[in-house]
């Protein structure tokens, strides 16, 4: 009797399940689209760029700038970087589908249409430029626009596909947030701003060479002449060491522009460790051992973060 009595209830429950899952499925679909658009902006790269912006603003002001200005520059910078990255995804859609590392990006995966990605990137570029133009100054705005154009036109469309020095010269746009943050506060650029620019510029080749070594086959498959694809690993290792030393020199040089001993000590130690890791990778290459390039890649990220956090602390100490 109890089994028979329960049947209508079970049937009713079964009938209601499809109705209940419709809004859930729709919500999941919308979230998937949102995640795809966020992925177009490459948020991890944006985070690393913004790490250099705030310390530059603090050092430029020698105190804490207007919180409103900082918020605008961070938002404008994030949108500008997101725009550049979304447009990069649009331009590189032909090679992204050939590389395992990038084959799951929204365009190769057909989560977002090509046209939608292009419109999205252009809208972000316009909004970021408008924010900077209205709330900062002409120099900061011009540098923001220049960074977007350089990354998408000079680097993505030309350097990346034509020369193994793409990583080196492409570093200019990755270093631009330092100049943008400084210019937003002062309306000009000083030697300290250019030294911070140089730190990030020289830091980028060892950082990205390590990644390119790991994904060498991917780049070769896509026909991208990254240095590890067209040159020997020994040359890549030597160049990584050279640029690591240049990073150390510029990091220490910043110390002599009025920074405290706190910055000097941390700059010397962390830069020396960066150089040491580059030498270790070169040593493994010379001994024909497993290269382990991601050790240099991960430490380089930590190094840049520690150094620029120290710059921020140093600026606050001196305020």
């Amino acid at each position: 009797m109890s089994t028979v009595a329960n049947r209508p209830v079970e049937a009713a429950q079964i009938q209601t399940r499809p109705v209940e899952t419709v809004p859930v499925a729709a919500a999941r679909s919308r979230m998937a689209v949102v995640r795809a658009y966020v992925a177009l902006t490459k948020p991890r790269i944006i985070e690393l760029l913004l790490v250099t912006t705030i310390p530059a603003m603090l050092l430029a002001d020698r105190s804490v700038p207007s919180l409103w200005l900082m918020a605008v520059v961070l938002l404008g910078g994030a949108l500008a970087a997101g725009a550049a990255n979304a447009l990069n995804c649009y331009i590189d859609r032909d090679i992204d589908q050939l590389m395992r590392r990038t084959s799951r990006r929204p365009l190769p995966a057909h989560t977002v249409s090509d046209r939608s990605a292009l419109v999205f990137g252009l809208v972000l570029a316009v909004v970021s430029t408008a924010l900077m133009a209205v709330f900062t100054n002409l120099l900061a705005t011009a540098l923001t626009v220049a960074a977007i154009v350089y990354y998408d036109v000079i680097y993505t469309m030309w350097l990346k596909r034509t020369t193994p020095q793409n990583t080196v010269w492409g570093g200019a746009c990755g270093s631009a947030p330092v100049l943008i943050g400084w210019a937003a506060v002062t309306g000009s650029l000083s030697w300290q701003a250019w030294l911070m620019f140089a730190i990030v510029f020289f830091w980028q080749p060892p950082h990205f060479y390590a990644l390119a070594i790991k994904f060498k086959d991917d780049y070769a498959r896509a026909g991208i002449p990254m240095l590890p694809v067209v040159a020997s690993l020994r040359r890549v290792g030597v160049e990584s060491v050279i640029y690591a030393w240049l990073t150390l020199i510029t990091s220490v040089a910043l110390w002599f522009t009025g920074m405290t001993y706190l910055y000097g000590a941390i700059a010397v130690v962390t830069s020396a460790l960066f150089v040491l890791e580059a030498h270790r990778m070169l040593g493994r290459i010379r001994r024909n051992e497993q290269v382990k390039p991601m050790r240099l890649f991960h430490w380089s990220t930590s190094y840049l973060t520690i150094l620029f956090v120290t710059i921020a602390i140093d600026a606050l100490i001196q305020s």
Side-chain angles (χ1 to χ4, degrees):
M1 289 293 291
S2 60
T3 303
V4 175
N6 285 337
R7 282 177 184 170
V9 176
E10 291 172 355
Q13 290 174 342
I14 293 172
Q15 289 174 0
T16 59
R17 283 173 191 164
V19 177
E20 291 173 353
T21 57
V22 168
V24 174
R28 286 178 179 174
S29 178
R30 287 192 295 271
M31 285 304 300
V33 172
V34 170
R35 283 194 295 268
Y37 276 99
V38 171
L40 284 175
T41 67
K42 303 179 185 177
R44 289 184 179 180
I45 294 178
I46 293 176
E47 290 173 7
L48 194 58
L49 294 176
L50 296 183
V51 161
T52 64
T53 305
I54 295 177
M57 296 182 73
L58 292 173
L59 189 60
D61 194 75
R62 293 291 177 178
S63 182
V64 180
S66 159
L67 294 181
W68 170 251
L69 179 63
M70 291 180 69
V72 167
V73 173
L74 288 179
L75 178 59
L79 292 175
N85 290 330
L87 293 172
N88 168 268
C89 287
Y90 172 78
I91 296 166
D92 276 353
R93 64 193 185 281
D94 59 330
I95 61 175
D96 279 351
Q97 62 186 346
L98 301 176
M99 299 172 61
R100 290 192 183 93
R101 183 173 68 90
T102 57
S103 60
R104 294 184 180 180
R105 286 179 178 172
L107 295 186
H110 304 292
T111 314
V112 176
S113 70
D114 295 352
R115 182 177 181 277
S116 296
L118 175 61
V119 171
F120 178 63
L122 292 174
V123 169
L124 288 183
V126 170
V127 173
S128 63
T129 302
L131 274 174
M132 298 298 287
V134 172
F135 297 108
T136 62
N137 54 60
L138 180 60
L139 180 57
T141 304
L143 288 170
T144 300
V145 173
I148 297 172
V149 172
Y150 190 99
Y151 183 67
D152 289 315
V153 178
I154 305 300
Y155 171 72
T156 304
M157 297 180 69
W158 177 36
L159 293 173
K160 183 176 181 179
R161 297 173 183 246
T162 58
T163 172
Q165 292 302 308
N166 51 23
T167 302
V168 177
W169 298 112
C173 45
S175 309
V178 170
L179 301 182
I180 294 168
W182 190 284
V185 172
T186 66
S188 61
L189 297 173
S190 73
W191 278 109
Q192 281 186 312
W194 285 110
L195 277 173
M196 284 190 289
F197 175 91
I199 291 169
V200 183
F201 182 83
F202 290 133
W203 163 86
Q204 286 184 90
H207 177 73
F208 285 107
Y209 282 160
L211 194 66
I213 290 171
K214 179 176 176 61
F215 295 104
K216 173 183 174 181
D217 293 340
D218 256 3
Y219 286 113
R221 189 180 301 110
I224 301 300
M226 301 296 285
L227 191 64
V229 174
V230 301
S232 67
L233 279 178
R234 183 181 291 259
R235 178 180 167 186
V236 178
V238 168
E239 287 203 17
S240 296
V241 167
I242 290 171
Y243 284 111
W245 272 104
L246 289 172
T247 306
L248 182 149
I249 291 168
T250 49
S251 298
V252 174
L254 183 63
W255 182 13
F256 297 102
T257 64
M259 308 294 284
T260 69
Y261 282 100
L262 171 67
Y263 169 80
I266 292 179
V268 169
V269 172
T270 55
S271 299
L273 290 173
F274 184 40
V275 169
L276 178 62
E277 194 57 54
H279 275 283
R280 283 174 173 168
M281 187 179 77
L282 177 59
R284 290 191 292 270
I285 291 171
R286 285 174 170 166
R287 293 189 299 270
N288 292 317
E289 298 175 356
Q290 186 179 355
V291 179
K292 300 178 182 177
M294 297 308 286
R295 289 182 56 172
L296 176 59
F297 177 83
H298 291 307
W299 170 245
S300 65
T301 302
S302 300
Y303 159 73
L304 193 71
T305 303
I306 293 169
L307 188 74
F308 273 83
V309 167
T310 304
I311 290 174
I313 294 171
D314 199 278
L316 293 175
I317 289 174
Q318 298 184 62
S319 62

